[in-house]
Amino acid sequence: MYQPDRYSVEGANRFIAEKAPSVNAVMKPGFHLTAPTGWINDPNGFCYFQGKYHMFCQYNPYHSRWDTMHWGHWTSTDLIRWTWEGVALAPDQPYDCMGCFSGTAAVVGDTLHLLYTCVHPDTDGVVIQEQAIATSQDGIYFVKSPLNPVLRKNDLPPDGERRDFRDPRVYPDQGGWRLLLANKNERCGRQLLYESSDLIHWTYRGVFLQELSEMPECPDFFHLDGKDVLVTCLMNQPREGYRFQNGHHDVAYVTGRTEGVSFVQESLDSVDLGQDFYAPQTVLAPDGRRIMVGWMMMWGEATPPLYLDHGWQGAYTFPREISLQDGKLCQRPVREIQGLYGRQLCLERADVKGCLQLEGVSGQHYHLRLTVGDLYEPFSIHLKEDGAEYVELRYDPQTGLLSMDRSRMGHPVYAQPGEEAHDVSYLQLVPGHSLALEILSDTCSLEVFAGHGMGAMTSLCFPKGTGTGISFHGKGELQHVSFALLETKGVIG
Ligand code: FRU
């Protein structure tokens, strides 16, 4: 496997240009972000700068597994069509020689700042995490600060673990800046709060929120519909019913309010209960909407593009508009999705007794909305169906439990040795005789929004067959069916 002697932005971009044409794209998503070559994990630095959305990624261009992290970069004017801008940060300094880990962006006038975790060996050889900053005037070429690392192990409180001190989330606050950092001590995980007036000199203010699993990675923090919301990824959080069902890694949102330097928590819940959703970041769109994008994969998985040697692994969710309704997170695909609509079909009503397929309702890339009403017994929808292969979406109106089962897919997603990867995900909804669903299907993924966006499940699923069939099973009535095929040619540059 190719590995350069020295990492650099130019070297990485040269490698990508040479290698990209030989990447096997058959399983690549049509309208979800993936890199031209290699591996991506967390979305980073999601921001709006000089008239464009910028999305960066945790990136290993050289192979389709996690390794020494770079930052890759796309831009978009509409959240649906993305242009690959190349590598923004490479681990080319002594202080980030073991990786440029996750972080966020701050826009100050004509300058874009990226704050990221720089990983390197400490003087005693222990690999530690500190924080660095890079800036750009054109949003493409970034220069790292000579003052890096700008937040060091000495900025930790005395009980802070220097090996787990990462993922800076910067946000404006009262004319200055606040920064949350994931950290842990011997007892628990927590978010630490820092303040600065210039993004370079930081002062530790205290523990913002603690008792957050073993280690709460990738904080995001924003104000939404009257509350402060902290989104963070909980490691080894004990499962509670159907909450936090993903084993080692679950994404939670905490609602509450900021009081001085701490966060007063009101509620804690899962963001997306599918198998493949992690490390989301949000941006405030110019029109005031809060938009969220997550990594559409999970630690510990081996997906078909990896084990079939296709030269890529990892994708991002489609951008979602988020809001709080009665204190609960509501998620929907951004309305810009309509810009991808091709052939459309609407149907007011259809009875299901046994098995039903609808003329014209099939495809690989689509946006399907419908309500299933008149439900008194379990009802199933088969998605990505081709013969015996399908993903089963099943709802039990008595219990309110919605499940998504990908175990019949021809190309399984395997668990890495010693890890967990589930084929069935569960979402607890309020029991009732009707179910509103919104489904986004791409080549190798399904994003399901249930109950008008009050629940979400995202999972990768790799069909061997056509993956195009949709059928309805049980007894009920389909209402307000709206189906649109998506035009995906060239939308991901
Ligand atoms: C989360 C994470 C981050 C870290 C990054 C490294 O998925 O572990 O905490 O910064 O991935 O790639």
Side-chain angles (χ1 to χ4, degrees):
M1 200 78 74
Y2 177 73
Q3 199 86 44
D5 302 336
R6 228 186 145 271
Y7 294 110
S8 70
V9 167
E10 300 73 28
N13 284 333
R14 227 176 300 122
F15 176 86
I16 297 161
E18 273 166 31
K19 190 71 199 291
S22 64
V23 164
N24 183 337
V26 278
M27 292 184 177
K28 272 207 162 189
F31 61 101
H32 286 78
L33 284 171
T34 53
T37 66
W39 157 281
I40 59 171
N41 56 289
D42 315 354
N44 288 163
F46 192 15
C47 65
Y48 190 80
F49 175 66
Q50 293 178 346
K52 285 182 182 167
Y53 293 96
H54 290 251
M55 173 64 81
F56 300 84
C57 60
Q58 280 291 278
Y59 187 32
N60 175 18
Y62 297 104
H63 26 90
S64 33
R65 291 177 186 280
W66 188 90
D67 206 327
T68 315
M69 284 290 110
H70 297 54
W71 279 37
H73 184 198
W74 302 267
T75 56
S76 172
T77 53
D78 59 7
L79 294 167
I80 50 177
R81 294 181 180 79
W82 294 88
T83 306
W84 173 250
E85 302 287 5
V87 167
L89 301 175
D92 54 7
Q93 300 295 319
Y95 56 78
D96 61 17
C97 62
M98 299 184 80
C100 303
F101 276 20
S102 286
T104 49
V107 174
V108 189
D110 280 341
T111 308
L112 178 56
H113 302 257
L114 302 179
L115 279 123
Y116 67 97
T117 297
C118 51
V119 186
H120 62 100
D122 205 350
T123 41
D124 57 3
V126 171
V127 176
I128 61 164
Q129 303 180 339
E130 298 187 311
Q131 323 309 321
I133 189 165
T135 54
S136 172
Q137 254 65 52
D138 65 358
I140 304 292
Y141 297 100
F142 288 84
V143 178
K144 294 178 183 173
S145 168
L147 299 173
N148 281 337
V150 292
L151 257 153
R152 300 176 184 224
K153 61 174 182 186
N154 302 346
D155 296 308
L156 274 163
D159 64 345
E161 171 58 69
R162 62 184 164 151
R163 291 172 298 184
D164 288 287
F165 181 40
R166 62 178 176 274
D167 306 339
R169 163 56 170 143
V170 64
Y171 56 98
D173 184 74
Q174 295 178 21
W177 298 96
R178 279 190 156 188
L179 184 98
L180 295 178
L181 268 166
N183 179 237
K184 66 180 186 190
N185 62 12
E186 280 193 348
R187 215 170 47 78
C188 68
R190 68 237 180 129
Q191 298 295 342
L192 305 179
L193 179 69
Y194 293 81
E195 282 179 348
S196 171
S197 57
D198 59 4
L199 295 166
I200 299 281
H201 301 93
W202 293 94
T203 308
Y204 175 59
R205 291 291 182 218
V207 175
F208 191 59
L209 188 61
Q210 57 186 354
E211 311 290 344
L212 281 169
S213 73
E214 269 176 28
M215 174 69 189
E217 305 182 300
C218 304
D220 193 1
F221 183 76
F222 45 87
H223 197 71
L224 189 68
D225 298 325
K227 291 198 188 295
D228 287 337
V229 181
L230 171 72
V231 175
T232 182
C233 298
L234 306 179
M235 294 178 73
N236 298 325
Q237 173 79 357
R239 187 185 168 131
E240 289 169 29
Y242 293 108
R243 295 199 308 173
F244 315 125
Q245 60 187 264
N246 274 342
H248 303 315
H249 295 93
D250 284 279
V251 185
Y253 69 98
V254 192
T255 64
R257 60 182 193 283
T258 308
E259 271 185 17
V261 296
S262 51
F263 189 69
V264 181
Q265 174 178 338
E266 287 169 10
S267 73
L268 170 81
D269 210 342
S270 294
V271 172
D272 182 308
L273 285 162
Q275 176 55 38
D276 294 288
F277 183 85
Y278 203 62
Q281 281 203 356
T282 64
V283 69
L284 192 63
D287 62 7
R289 286 175 299 158
R290 174 87 23 205
I291 314 288
M292 181 165 75
V293 170
W295 179 36
M296 192 161 64
M297 210 188 129
M298 185 49 84
W299 291 113
E301 287 182 332
T303 70
L306 171 76
Y307 64 74
L308 298 174
D309 213 11
H310 284 192
W312 69 278
Q313 191 175 211
Y316 288 171
T317 66
F318 191 73
R320 303 172 178 182
E321 297 179 16
I322 60 170
S323 57
L324 282 184
Q325 292 184 14
D326 298 327
K328 293 259 171 218
L329 191 67
C330 177
Q331 308 170 61
R332 310 294 285 268
V334 291
R335 57 198 71 169
E336 285 86 343
I337 182 104
Q338 292 177 12
L340 297 180
Y341 279 11
R343 186 169 60 73
Q344 291 178 52
L345 201 139
C346 291
L347 184 86
E348 255 330 285
R349 290 207 133 58
D351 258 343
V352 189
K353 286 197 190 82
C355 166
L356 177 74
Q357 277 166 312
L358 294 173
E359 180 79 36
V361 176
S362 68
Q364 230 186 351
H365 307 135
Y366 59 82
H367 185 200
L368 170 64
R369 281 170 294 167
L370 79 164
T371 297
V372 191
D374 223 2
L375 283 175
Y376 292 88
E377 49 194 69
F379 190 90
S380 293
I381 307 180
H382 294 182
L383 301 162
K384 300 200 173 294
E385 189 169 26
D386 187 0
E389 185 184 58
Y390 57 90
V391 173
E392 183 185 29
L393 202 60
R394 185 177 191 272
Y395 179 66
D396 184 337
Q398 307 300 333
T399 60
L401 199 62
L402 179 69
S403 59
M404 176 150 70
D405 179 352
R406 67 177 176 193
S407 63
R408 296 176 194 82
M409 283 284 99
H411 292 295
V413 174
Y414 293 115
Q416 300 276 13
E419 295 281 356
E420 292 179 56
H422 306 284
D423 280 331
V424 192
S425 308
Y426 299 94
L427 172 61
Q428 181 66 66
L429 298 165
V430 182
H433 302 300
S434 85
L435 171 69
L437 286 174
E438 183 163 0
I439 299 167
L440 271 186
S441 165
D442 204 333
T443 323
C444 63
S445 65
L446 286 168
E447 284 158 284
V448 174
F449 303 91
H452 303 283
M454 297 312 290
M457 275 201 282
T458 300
S459 288
L460 292 172
C461 31
F462 294 85
K464 222 174 206 167
T466 59
T468 53
I470 303 173
S471 61
F472 303 90
H473 302 259
K475 198 172 166 309
E477 186 184 64
L478 308 186
Q479 302 159 352
H480 318 300
V481 181
S482 142
F483 177 81
L485 281 175
L486 304 177
E487 303 284 355
T488 61
K489 204 164 180 297
V491 301
I492 307 298

